[in-house]
Amino acid sequence: AKQRVGWAARGAGNFLCELAPKKPLFDPLLSSPCEGGSIVARVTTDDMGNEKAAMPKCSWWQFPTSGPPVIVDGNTLDLSEMKGVPLVALVAQLAARETINDASSNQGYTTAKGPSPWTAKVLEGETELLRLRRPEGLRSTGVWLVATIQKDGSSWKADALDELYPEKRLEAVLML
């Protein structure tokens, strides 16, 4: 008996077959050194459609050596301008605070719709520094602490964090 390509036999005979293990659909990149130039964050959701409430927005929390953190909204940050700032955190959250109806009707049955998966990429020029995915998405009252970019001597290092926090607790957590 000839076995099909990509199939592996299990058990006593070849009549029980299953697919051989495949490479995962998403390959994360969790840490990278960077030169210290212009950084771009791209945070997207699988269900970006026309719902502005479901669209992610980014902010950069800059932690100077002295003083409170400085929060800058936007997708880009120039690390060469970060004088006296040894640590920057990338935070993503929902762009609008609208109530989203998570229920849809299907022939008399109501099914709850969960949050869509979110994907984050941090790039320096064409070089991808970080790539991570949050399969369970993000609720409207939460924030995603995506990554930190830390001064490492004369260069910088990007590290993924991938942690969720309630929006009101984020500042207290980041100050630790």
Side-chain angles (χ1 to χ4, degrees):
K2 190 173 182 183
Q3 191 172 349
R4 294 175 84 184
V5 176
W7 289 68
R10 300 279 186 240
N14 285 341
F15 61 92
L16 294 175
C17 295
E18 62 184 52
L19 288 173
K22 291 183 178 179
K23 184 179 178 185
L25 296 174
F26 186 82
D27 189 21
L29 176 61
L30 302 176
S31 183
S32 293
C34 58
E35 300 297 320
S38 183
I39 302 291
V40 176
R42 292 189 186 142
V43 180
T44 58
T45 178
D46 288 2
D47 189 27
M48 288 192 56
N50 293 329
E51 295 181 24
K52 287 192 177 224
M55 294 178 64
K57 89 170 182 179
C58 296
S59 58
W60 300 94
W61 288 56
Q62 303 170 16
F63 294 91
T65 50
S66 62
V70 177
I71 303 166
V72 178
D73 290 334
N75 292 357
T76 60
L77 180 72
D78 192 351
L79 293 176
S80 64
E81 296 176 1
M82 298 289 108
K83 307 295 183 217
V85 178
L87 178 67
V88 178
L90 172 62
V91 175
Q93 63 191 53
L94 293 173
R97 292 284 168 243
E98 298 174 12
T99 303
I100 303 170
N101 184 3
D102 284 347
S104 61
S105 180
N106 185 8
Q107 297 179 355
Y109 297 99
T110 301
T111 56
K113 179 183 172 192
S116 296
W118 283 35
T119 303
K121 292 182 181 181
V122 177
L123 302 108
E124 184 176 34
E126 296 295 318
T127 306
E128 206 169 58
L129 302 176
L130 299 173
R131 179 178 54 247
L132 59 156
R133 184 170 174 82
R134 179 152 282 282
E136 62 273 12
L138 189 66
R139 302 231 179 255
S140 63
T141 58
V143 293
W144 184 18
L145 182 53
V146 179
T148 60
I149 302 173
Q150 203 167 353
K151 187 86 167 156
D152 187 19
S154 61
S155 63
W156 293 79
K157 184 172 188 225
D159 291 306
L161 290 181
D162 191 18
E163 297 178 3
L164 289 182
Y165 293 101
E167 184 178 12
K168 294 179 180 180
R169 299 225 14 189
L170 179 66
E171 188 170 356
V173 169
L174 287 176
M175 296 309 289
L176 296 176

